Amino acid sequence: MKCKDANLKLYAQLEKEHRYDDTRYYGVFISKTGDKKRIKIDVKRYGKKIGLSEKQLDIMKARRTHYYFPSKKQREDYNCNLIIPLIEDILNEWEKDYMPLIEKEIKAIQAKEYTPGDDDLFTSGIIDHEEACTNAFIKNMRAEARTQYKRVKLYMSLYAQFFHQMTSKIEAMTVKILYKNGFSGKQFKRDNLYNFKNKTAKQIKGLEGFKEYDKMYLIWHFIKHNSLSTYNNLKKNYPEALAKLKKCAVYEAGDMAYWYISFNNEFITNILKGVSEFFKNYCKFVFKEDYDRAQWDYEEYFVARTNEEIETIRNPLGLSDY
């Protein structure tokens, strides 16, 4: 008997017995061989009971067997599903937590306001009210200047700290992915990323999003090393990343780098979005992973969606189990 005909009989039997908690009813078959578990999908049945998009159907129709066997077992088996969610988490933390916190802290820094009554010379009768007002005005200007310097210093410092942390996280995941796929070097350099799997730097640098990735690294190096060479490298390749300084201002080796970066609310957001695009393209080019397909073409995806359908029948009101 053909699989298709056997399944029709099985579906009818499950329907008769009201076995809506059986994954096979939805076209998801789980087989075990020892400790190994394999998932196979009856595409027509699954599409009818749970649903499939046109793109999913187009890919799954290309199979040569009655069943569709997902390409991976788990979501994290795809390299792109390791690096892209990390970048998205960093971006979400930046927009939802860190950026509002920085703005709140900067606004909280207020200068002391002086009045004529704060002047000891006025209260002692040495100067008149008009002179005391002038003194208060001068003191307020100086206090505001000191406070503004404090605001800018904290602002730039917090941005630089977040930038350093985010780039460190992205590099750490990059290293993890390379080792996961066979890299065995004792230390990581960006050339290892460019030349991995017999690719060339020219090919990798031509991928969309590379400029943001490269800009991120050059800024990171500048922040870490505070050297003239890292400043000149950034200025040569991405001058827009540097703050507009007075004509007489010149960077000197040892100056704190974060004073020279054009940090603003969109700066980090735009870099992260570009870096995300770069790694989508990198994973597609080097590992043959399509990011959109990687969001569903794995065994856990089909099992999870089926279990959600079963739970809807078991618990239609969505009541907690405690």
Side-chain angles (χ1 to χ4, degrees), residues 280-295:
K280 286 179 184 179
N281 291 314
Y282 182 88
C283 289
K284 185 174 184 178
F285 182 60
V286 177
F287 302 116
K288 311 303 179 186
E289 296 178 352
D290 179 81
Y291 179 73
D292 291 335
R293 181 170 179 172
Q295 304 316 297

Side-chain angles (χ1 to χ4, degrees), residues 290-309:
D290 179 81
Y291 179 73
D292 291 335
R293 181 170 179 172
Q295 304 316 297
W296 63 268
D297 191 13
Y298 54 93
E299 293 181 357
E300 283 186 347
Y301 170 86
F302 293 97
V303 174
R305 287 198 66 191
T306 303
N307 287 335
E308 287 174 5
E309 190 70 20

Side-chain angles (χ1 to χ4, degrees), residues 17-148:
E17 296 175 0
H18 302 289
R19 292 292 306 279
Y20 305 122
D21 59 346
D22 193 318
T23 62
R24 295 175 300 171
Y25 177 77
Y26 305 91
V28 177
F29 292 79
I30 305 173
S31 59
K32 283 188 176 182
T33 304
D35 294 332
K36 295 184 178 180
K37 185 171 64 175
R38 190 76 190 273
I39 306 295
K40 57 185 181 181
I41 311 299
D42 184 333
V43 177
K44 187 174 181 180
R45 181 70 176 183
Y46 187 90
K48 179 181 178 181
K49 291 298 179 180
I50 296 182
L52 292 165
S53 69
E54 289 297 324
K55 287 186 177 181
Q56 288 174 321
L57 282 171
D58 288 343
I59 291 172
M60 297 171 84
K61 284 177 181 177
R63 69 191 186 280
R64 295 182 178 180
T65 60
H66 174 72
Y67 294 105
Y68 180 77
F69 294 87
S71 300
K72 305 283 186 182
K73 289 186 175 297
Q74 299 177 334
R75 177 183 174 86
E76 291 76 18
D77 289 338
Y78 288 98
N79 299 294
C80 60
N81 285 342
L82 293 173
I83 188 72
I84 302 304
L86 171 69
I87 297 171
E88 290 176 345
D89 285 345
I90 293 172
L91 179 57
N92 185 63
E93 285 180 348
W94 171 248
E95 294 182 336
K96 300 290 180 62
D97 300 323
Y98 285 86
M99 188 170 67
L101 180 62
I102 291 173
E103 291 179 346
K104 179 181 177 182
E105 291 304 314
I106 298 303
K107 289 179 180 178
I109 301 174
Q110 297 293 325
K112 178 180 178 179
E113 293 187 13
Y114 291 91
T115 67
D118 296 317
D119 196 320
D120 291 339
L121 294 177
F122 173 62
T123 56
S124 299
I126 298 174
I127 61 175
D128 60 24
H129 182 266
E130 185 177 347
E131 290 175 307
C133 287
T134 300
N135 288 344
F137 176 75
I138 294 172
K139 286 181 179 179
N140 283 329
M141 287 182 60
R142 290 174 176 173
E144 181 58 33
R146 289 193 298 269
T147 302
Q148 182 59 18

Side-chain angles (χ1 to χ4, degrees), residues 183-296:
F183 177 67
S184 58
K186 292 184 178 180
Q187 65 181 89
F188 169 77
K189 295 181 179 180
R190 281 210 287 166
D191 286 341
N192 301 133
L193 184 71
Y194 303 156
N195 301 323
F196 198 59
K197 300 291 184 182
N198 298 317
K199 305 304 179 185
T200 66
K202 183 178 180 181
Q203 290 173 315
I204 301 304
K205 291 179 180 181
L207 297 175
E208 187 175 348
F210 175 79
K211 287 185 177 181
E212 284 73 22
Y213 170 77
D214 190 43
K215 182 190 295 184
M216 176 184 74
Y217 255 88
L218 296 190
I219 294 171
W220 190 39
H221 287 168
F222 184 35
I223 291 174
K224 286 194 298 181
H225 301 296
N226 303 289
S227 65
L228 189 59
S229 61
T230 54
Y231 170 79
N232 287 334
N233 201 13
L234 179 59
K235 184 177 181 180
K236 176 184 176 182
N237 291 279
Y238 306 103
E240 72 279 3
L242 294 170
K244 294 181 179 179
L245 305 175
K246 296 179 180 179
K247 291 182 179 180
C248 60
V250 178
Y251 178 78
E252 295 182 358
D255 289 348
M256 289 302 295
Y258 61 69
W259 285 106
Y260 294 81
I261 305 298
S262 182
F263 286 129
N264 58 63
N265 289 349
E266 292 77 30
F267 187 84
I268 291 177
T269 298
N270 292 337
I271 286 180
L272 285 171
K273 288 180 178 179
V275 172
S276 178
E277 189 63 28
F278 167 71
F279 275 106
K280 286 179 184 179
N281 291 314
Y282 182 88
C283 289
K284 185 174 184 178
F285 182 60
V286 177
F287 302 116
K288 311 303 179 186
E289 296 178 352
D290 179 81
Y291 179 73
D292 291 335
R293 181 170 179 172
Q295 304 316 297
W296 63 268

